[in-house]
Amino acid sequence: MAKTMFDDQMVSLSPTPSLFFGSAYRAGDDPNQGPGPVESIPHGPVHIWCGDPNQPDGEDMGNFYSAGFDPLFYAHHANIDRMWSVWKGLDVRRHTDLTDPDWLDASFLLYDETPKLVRIRVRDVLDTDRLRYRYQDVPLHWTAARPTVTAGTRRADSFLAPAAQAAPAAARKAGEFPITLDEATIVTVKRPVAGKRSKAEKASKEEVLVIDGIEVDRDVAAKFDVFVNTEDHGAVGSGGRELAGSFVNVPHRHGHGHGHAKKGRGIKTKLRLALNEQLEDLEAEGDESVVVTLVPRQGKGRVKIGGVKIELMH
């Protein structure tokens, strides 16, 4: 499980800095522009697994605003920082930090050990050697692993074939968007390219699946999985190639109900999932469209989806 999960999040879904880090967030923008894959998996579930969103005060790892009260928070986020360091070492040519000055000069006010209020810029914390720490160099066996294709992969043409084709497990066809994700839902998505692309074309532009207009109340623990070309999503394990990625929302509720964490206030965001490697492994590069299955795992009926599309991204 760990091998293929890390391969998915750190390699297949993160071929470029903009996909690894997530969508740009600039002053004046809505703050929920879309997370990178590591933000959802494994970051989000660890918060929820180690907290209990059903507690009345909810002041634990399962609540965004209070997670830092738990000492486990620091071990968890140190590991997320380590994954960032590992990602940069996997492909030193492509896996680089962003160079946009809006990102490099973004700053945060923090208290140092004295305690004195200091301003820290993103560019000040990119080099761990300058910060006087380095992560232990350990074997990364998962880098040689590729997710396995589950028997019964659904091709776009089979989806349009007569009823003799086996239907996906407990899934419905999507109606007109937006939809409420209260059960597994299937949508056929047209690709923006015709036919199989060359190696150079794929290196130049990543084919990206975009789950757009995701709406959820910020105080709701929510998770849904995204599958591509699967006959039966229930048969696809955590390491299955048909599992394209996941969206996770860590609840953000404040016991006093004021400020930006006011209970019930919704967020609107998107999920972007790189497809190049997945389409290769599923032998779907020549298809005109792909079949996408959205499967709610937590917060059923509490998440809305505005649309699903595929884009080409430099």
Side-chain angles (χ1 to χ4, degrees):
M1 174 179 175
K3 285 185 179 182
T4 48
M5 181 197 72
F6 280 112
D7 179 80
D8 273 353
Q9 307 305 116
M10 305 270 286
V11 181
S12 297
L13 296 181
S14 304
T16 65
S18 56
L19 283 167
F20 177 77
F21 288 105
S23 301
Y25 169 34
R26 305 180 194 277
D29 287 349
D30 184 276
N32 306 292
Q33 294 297 308
V38 173
E39 178 77 10
S40 283
I41 305 288
H43 170 262
V46 172
H47 273 276
I48 295 172
W49 292 340
C50 297
D52 184 356
N54 296 316
Q55 289 299 315
D57 57 3
E59 297 195 353
D60 55 24
M61 272 281 284
N63 187 352
F64 184 91
Y65 113 89
S66 62
F69 296 162
D70 191 329
L72 187 60
F73 173 91
Y74 300 95
H76 174 40
H77 275 260
N79 188 48
I80 296 298
D81 183 64
R82 183 187 70 87
M83 291 174 64
W84 178 5
S85 179
V86 168
W87 175 80
K88 288 197 284 188
L90 293 176
D91 185 342
V92 295
R93 183 179 63 86
R94 299 184 73 194
H95 292 188
T96 60
D97 288 323
L98 298 169
T99 57
D100 190 322
D102 281 357
W103 185 71
L104 293 172
D105 293 328
S107 62
F108 305 86
L109 289 171
L110 305 167
Y111 287 97
D112 66 12
E113 68 279 6
T114 48
K116 177 184 176 183
L117 191 63
V118 295
R119 183 179 296 275
I120 302 295
R121 298 175 302 170
V122 169
R123 67 168 73 245
D124 299 328
V125 295
L126 297 180
D127 185 347
T128 57
D129 285 343
R130 286 183 57 197
L131 297 172
R132 301 191 298 276
Y133 73 90
R134 186 179 298 175
Y135 292 105
Q136 182 180 1
D137 188 12
V138 297
L140 302 173
H141 300 294
W142 51 266
T143 57
R146 288 283 283 250
T148 56
V149 177
T150 306
T153 296
R154 174 178 293 280
R155 301 294 294 274
D157 53 0
S158 74
F159 181 72
L160 301 173
Q165 297 289 342
R172 67 177 180 200
K173 292 182 182 179
E176 185 177 346
F177 284 94
I179 62 170
T180 297
L181 197 59
D182 51 7
E183 60 180 308
T185 304
I186 303 168
V187 57
T188 301
V189 186
K190 187 174 178 60
R191 295 177 62 205
V193 294
K196 189 174 181 179
R197 296 194 296 153
S198 68
K199 186 175 181 179
E201 288 173 327
K202 287 186 286 186
S204 172
K205 294 181 180 179
E206 184 78 27
E207 208 162 338
V208 178
L209 178 65
V210 182
I211 314 300
D212 211 358
I214 302 171
E215 295 185 53
V216 60
D217 283 348
R218 64 176 65 246
D219 62 319
V220 170
K223 177 180 185 289
F224 65 81
D225 292 334
V226 182
F227 297 85
V228 169
N229 285 10
T230 179
E231 290 281 4
D232 181 1
H233 64 80
V236 180
S238 60
R241 177 76 278 188
E242 295 87 352
L243 178 59
S246 304
F247 171 84
V248 176
N249 184 62
V250 177
H252 191 357
R253 63 170 67 91
H254 197 296
H256 302 292
H258 59 74
H260 291 293
K262 184 177 288 186
K263 184 175 181 180
R265 183 170 176 174
I267 63 171
K268 189 171 184 177
T269 187
K270 66 179 66 177
L271 178 65
R272 299 186 302 169
L273 302 169
L275 287 179
N276 279 6
E277 282 196 8
Q278 186 171 41
L279 294 178
E280 289 176 9
D281 291 348
L282 296 178
E283 299 181 355
E285 293 181 281
D287 294 353
E288 293 184 355
S289 57
V290 297
V291 179
V292 175
T293 307
L294 307 174
V295 182
R297 301 298 190 187
Q298 193 167 6
K300 293 183 179 181
R302 305 293 298 276
V303 178
K304 290 184 178 179
I305 306 294
V308 183
K309 59 185 177 181
I310 297 176
E311 299 177 339
L312 288 178
M313 181 176 173
H314 287 278

